[in-house]
Amino acid sequence: MRVIYGVDPGVTGAVAILVDDRLEVLVDMPSAPNPTGKGNRVVSAALAEIVRDVQLRWPLSSAEHVAVIERVQAMPTDSGPSAFGFGYAAGVVEGVLAAMGVAVEFVPPAKWKTDVGLAVKRDKPPEGETKQQARARRGAVQSALKDASRGMAARLFPASAGEFARKKDDGRAEAALVARWYSHRRGDAA
């Protein structure tokens, strides 16, 4: 038996747990207000509790546990604090999973999204496009990709379709899709 943790590691991300290709657990990334600044941060103790609950249901002694985490990186347009917060969240996730005995692997978003059919061809920007127009175009593409992720997750996991219904559920959808991508890539699907 293999327990696969699919992780969208951002503060607004999620963790999806597949057991034998069935979606068994789907939770938003536990977060709380950042005591040293703006926004939220991932709460390591709460994430460890989620992993502990999974390991009680499917013990390490009887199941292989592996996490596949989307390899994130800061974008040139991210502010310093935003980029640091994103990296901090990813580091907390990796550290908690590794400390709990879960093997950790990473996948670039372009790899898994291309493999499942969610990749977008990058068109050359229209000539004379302003920075504001470029930002709006990129935002529209990102929004369409998030909607496509939610739709695909709802189709692949119909019993959990309601978990992907809201715009802000894209982290849940991507966590579930990352786990499924890994399972099928490894040939573990039932």
Side-chain angles (χ1 to χ4, degrees):
M1 175 182 303
R2 179 172 280 165
V3 179
I4 300 171
Y5 301 66
V7 184
D8 181 350
V11 171
T12 60
V15 179
I17 312 293
L18 295 186
V19 178
D20 294 336
D21 219 33
R22 289 183 327 273
L23 182 60
E24 295 286 348
V25 177
L26 182 63
V27 294
D28 293 326
M29 189 63 66
S31 64
N34 187 350
T36 61
K38 297 178 184 175
N40 290 340
R41 66 182 177 109
V42 173
V43 178
S44 55
L47 180 58
E49 189 60 33
I50 292 166
V51 175
R52 189 176 1 262
D53 288 347
V54 169
Q55 291 177 347
L56 287 173
R57 288 176 68 184
W58 300 281
L60 289 169
S61 60
S62 62
E64 178 186 359
H65 289 243
V66 62
V68 59
I69 302 172
E70 185 176 58
R71 182 176 301 283
V72 295
Q73 63 186 29
M75 301 304 289
T77 56
D78 290 346
S79 69
S82 174
F84 178 81
F86 204 42
Y88 175 84
V92 166
V93 171
E94 180 184 5
V96 166
L97 288 165
M100 300 291 292
V102 178
V104 175
E105 295 188 27
F106 293 91
V107 61
K111 172 65 176 149
W112 75 263
K113 287 180 180 184
T114 298
D115 288 353
V116 302
L118 287 175
V120 170
K121 182 182 173 203
R122 301 283 182 207
D123 291 331
K124 187 175 180 181
E127 193 165 323
E129 181 178 63
T130 66
K131 287 184 180 182
Q132 185 177 9
Q133 290 169 327
R135 198 170 23 253
R137 181 177 46 79
R138 285 191 304 269
V141 168
Q142 284 299 102
S143 181
L145 276 173
K146 290 177 184 292
D147 289 346
S149 293
R150 292 184 310 107
M152 181 178 281
R155 285 189 306 279
L156 293 173
F157 303 104
S160 300
E163 298 291 328
F164 311 116
R166 303 171 302 171
K167 284 267 190 207
K168 70 178 191 174
D169 293 335
D170 61 286
R172 293 176 182 180
E174 293 202 351
L177 293 173
V178 164
R180 188 171 188 281
W181 167 84
Y182 184 83
S183 176
H184 284 243
R185 188 195 92 186
R186 299 280 303 217
D188 298 335

